[in-house]
């Protein structure tokens, strides 16, 4: 497969050739001073043939004339550079576009928007915020995208109050009798719920438990489908000497979304012990397993039997799981339970290593994977898209 640099250069080379011809056409009509200097184009070719890709890239970018016809090509270059992580070069291209007084306002505003994306990618959030606020004043056409990017800026700067405010205003503009807008409204409500949960956890960390509770309850008002507000409220209940209420909440959350139970199983087990109800977990999880086969739940259920000293029942549950939906974690549990009867310590250790990889999380949208769970994917910034793949 070609290196990313080579791919980009080929695209750039073709675009410069096309852009230069277009630029010449435009020059012959009305903008003679912006014709591309052919020397830069040939210089770029020389660099390319000599294998000096970075220099070739720079020369090609400079060779492409800026005018209304080649504008889109420049925007595409800039966006490609940003996606490659070369944010500085993307910023240079977009700033250079903004310095052209001949461009129509709509194209300047588009360059403005691209520059804001560059600043977000570079982590220059204050600058991005200011640019986007200016753009909201300047351009009717870019309102929607500018608002979405501004929300992205507020998310990245963890300013959940501002993110809520803007998302609520977007939600207010959606008409729910239209199917597409209705689906956007559902997504907006889910996001609002996540923002409230983030804000609630910030308040919880600061020891402001009542403010945290208010925010978690607001999260539930936005959508009842997420278990996150329930787990926060249960933690607050525990801290405020209400373990029974915490237990009931977590049981409700487990029934509502059993696929998320592994994320709060430890919390549920601890609370169940504090209210002397741990025995109730075994039938609860067994019932959930009859509704949906899940190797993670099976491991939790087997562990509950082991804790009660019933290794035979634990092994039976694991064997059933290996039959229905095998995973490396189930295999590790089986080997551990069988112990020296069938496996040496080395084999058990090998299975444990395999199983520890299996517990990694995977984003269903962008493929990001890692050892820890996040409500917002660190890769694509989507919410509630990380899951544990069965391996
Ligand atoms: Zn992702």
């Amino acid at each position: 497969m070609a290196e990313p640099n080579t791919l980009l250069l080929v695209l750039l080379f073709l675009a410069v050739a096309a852009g230069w011809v277009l630029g010449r056409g435009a020059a012959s009509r009305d903008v003679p001073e912006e014709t591309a200097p052919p020397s830069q184009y040939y210089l770029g070719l020389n660099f390319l043939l000599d294998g000096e890709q970075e220099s070739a890239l720079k020369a090609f970018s400079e060779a492409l004339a800026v005018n209304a016809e080649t504008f889109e090509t420049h925007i595409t270059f800039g966006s490609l550079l940003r996606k490659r992580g070369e944010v500085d070069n993307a910023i240079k291209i977009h700033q250079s576009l903004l310095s052209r007084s001949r461009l129509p306002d709509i194209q300047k505003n588009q360059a403005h928007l691209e520059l804001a994306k560059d600043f977000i990618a570079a982590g220059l959030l204050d600058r991005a915020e200011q640019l986007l606020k200016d753009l909201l004043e300047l351009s009717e056409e870019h309102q929607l995208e500018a608002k979405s990017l501004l929300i992205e800026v507020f998310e990245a700067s963890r300013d959940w109050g501002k993110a809520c405010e803007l998302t609520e205003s977007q939600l207010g503009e959606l008409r729910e009798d239209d199917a597409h807008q209705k689906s956007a409204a559902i997504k907006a409500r889910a996001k609002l719920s996540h923002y409230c949960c983030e804000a609630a956890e910030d308040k919880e960390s600061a020891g402001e438990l009542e403010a945290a509770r208010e925010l978690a309850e607001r999260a539930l008002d936005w959508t009842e489908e997420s278990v996150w507000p329930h787990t926060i409220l249960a933690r607050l209940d525990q801290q405020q000497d209400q373990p029974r209420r915490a237990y009931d909440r977590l049981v409700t959350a487990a029934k509502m979304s059993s696929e998320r139970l592994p994320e709060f199983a430890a919390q549920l087990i601890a609370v169940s012990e504090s209210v002397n109800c741990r025995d109730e977990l075994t039938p609860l999880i067994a019932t959930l397993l009859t509704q949906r086969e899940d190797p993670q739940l099976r491991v939790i259920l087997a562990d509950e039997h082991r804790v009660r000293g019933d290794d035979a029942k634990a092994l039976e549950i694991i064997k059933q799981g290996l039959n229905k939906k095998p995973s490396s974690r189930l295999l590790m549990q089986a080997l551990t339970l069988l112990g020296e009867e069938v496996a040496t310590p080395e084999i058990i250790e090998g299975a444990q290593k395999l199983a520890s990889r299996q517990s990694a999380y995977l984003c269903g949208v962008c493929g990001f994977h890692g050892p820890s769970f996040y409500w917002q994917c660190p890769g694509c910034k989507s919410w509630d898209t990380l899951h544990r793949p069965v391996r």
Side-chain angles (χ1 to χ4, degrees):
M1 208 176 90
E3 289 292 312
N5 258 350
T6 315
L7 277 173
L8 180 65
L9 273 166
V10 170
L11 284 172
L12 202 51
F13 172 75
L14 293 173
V16 169
W20 180 47
V21 171
L22 288 170
R24 259 199 331 183
S28 66
R29 292 195 300 276
D30 54 8
V31 282
E33 74 280 16
E34 289 191 356
T35 306
S39 61
Q40 285 296 94
Y41 173 70
Y42 291 116
L43 187 66
L45 252 182
N46 273 338
F47 281 133
L48 184 58
L49 294 171
D50 290 343
E52 294 178 39
Q53 298 190 335
E54 292 305 321
S55 306
L57 191 74
K58 195 164 176 283
F60 279 144
S61 305
E62 286 169 3
L64 188 61
V66 176
N67 54 46
E69 283 82 1
T70 61
F71 175 82
E72 284 302 330
T73 313
H74 280 274
I75 290 286
T76 308
F77 283 172
S79 154
L80 270 172
L81 288 168
R82 183 174 61 241
K83 282 174 189 158
R84 265 174 49 100
E86 295 186 32
V87 182
D88 285 354
N89 285 331
I91 289 175
K92 275 181 207 155
I93 286 180
H94 296 132
Q95 280 178 332
S96 140
L97 288 177
L98 282 169
S99 68
R100 308 291 166 141
S101 56
R102 287 176 186 277
L103 286 177
D105 281 351
I106 187 160
Q107 290 189 329
K108 280 206 162 184
N109 290 338
Q110 196 183 339
H112 205 124
L113 194 71
E114 291 297 319
L115 188 58
K117 289 182 190 172
D118 298 338
F119 284 147
I120 293 174
L124 301 168
L125 300 177
D126 288 354
R127 288 195 211 178
E129 183 177 340
Q130 194 51 56
L131 268 185
L132 291 165
K133 283 180 176 168
D134 291 347
L135 193 59
L136 285 176
E137 302 270 313
L138 290 169
S139 168
E140 276 291 314
E141 293 87 352
H142 296 95
Q143 292 282 316
L144 224 61
E145 202 173 352
K147 277 186 187 173
S148 297
L149 285 173
L150 202 47
I151 290 173
E152 223 178 276
V153 168
F154 295 145
E155 283 186 9
S157 48
R158 300 184 60 79
D159 192 337
W160 308 115
K162 281 187 187 168
C164 273
E165 205 178 302
L166 195 50
T167 308
E168 273 189 67
S169 92
Q170 274 189 322
L171 182 63
E173 289 163 14
L174 293 170
R175 286 182 23 239
E176 302 210 23
D177 53 350
D178 171 289
H180 180 70
Q181 295 196 30
K182 187 172 182 180
S183 131
I186 292 169
K187 282 183 192 157
R189 284 198 195 90
K191 267 192 170 188
L192 282 162
S193 175
H194 294 314
Y195 297 156
C196 290
C197 286
E198 289 281 6
E201 289 196 342
D202 286 350
K203 290 288 179 194
E204 184 190 355
S205 303
E208 297 175 42
L209 302 190
E210 278 314 316
R213 181 177 294 281
E214 202 179 300
L215 284 158
E217 276 166 0
R218 207 183 300 162
L220 272 184
D221 290 342
W222 285 119
T223 173
E224 291 178 355
E225 284 167 21
S226 172
V227 297
W228 195 5
H230 291 288
T231 59
I232 297 170
L233 286 166
R235 277 202 309 271
L236 297 171
D237 288 339
Q238 280 174 271
Q239 291 175 70
Q240 294 175 321
D241 293 326
Q242 295 280 353
R244 182 76 222 180
R245 201 162 65 178
Y247 175 75
D248 290 343
R249 275 189 210 281
L250 293 177
V251 169
T252 305
K255 288 178 181 166
M256 189 176 76
S257 175
S258 65
E259 65 273 17
R260 285 284 177 230
L261 175 55
E263 315 319 329
F264 60 91
Q267 186 187 0
L268 176 58
I269 289 167
V271 176
S272 71
E273 280 192 328
S274 66
V275 291
N276 294 318
C277 285
R278 188 155 179 181
D279 283 355
E280 291 177 10
L281 296 187
T282 314
L284 170 70
I285 301 166
T287 307
L288 295 176
L289 262 177
T290 61
Q291 294 160 2
R292 193 180 59 86
E293 180 55 34
D294 181 339
Q296 300 289 333
L297 288 189
R298 209 163 263 284
V299 167
I300 298 170
L301 181 60
D303 279 345
E304 285 307 296
H305 284 292
R306 286 179 68 187
V307 166
R308 294 161 69 183
D310 194 347
D311 280 9
K313 182 71 184 168
L315 187 58
E316 185 193 321
I317 285 164
I318 296 293
K319 281 180 179 170
Q320 284 168 0
L322 283 169
N323 196 26
K324 289 182 178 172
K325 204 174 195 177
S327 78
S328 55
R329 187 101 186 266
L330 286 174
L331 189 62
M332 185 271 283
Q333 289 269 342
L335 286 172
T336 310
L337 283 164
L338 289 166
E340 290 177 1
E341 283 177 40
V342 296
T344 64
E346 291 79 14
I347 292 175
I348 294 175
E349 197 186 327
Q352 278 168 344
K353 278 184 190 162
L354 194 64
S356 67
R357 279 190 223 150
Q358 188 263 335
S359 67
Y361 291 88
L362 180 72
C363 171
V365 174
C366 73
F368 170 89
H369 56 94
S372 309
F373 177 74
Y374 300 96
W375 282 101
Q376 185 179 30
C377 170
C380 64
K381 311 295 178 197
S382 301
W383 292 91
D384 205 1
T385 55
L386 290 195
H387 63 274
R388 302 184 196 219
V390 177
R391 289 183 186 129

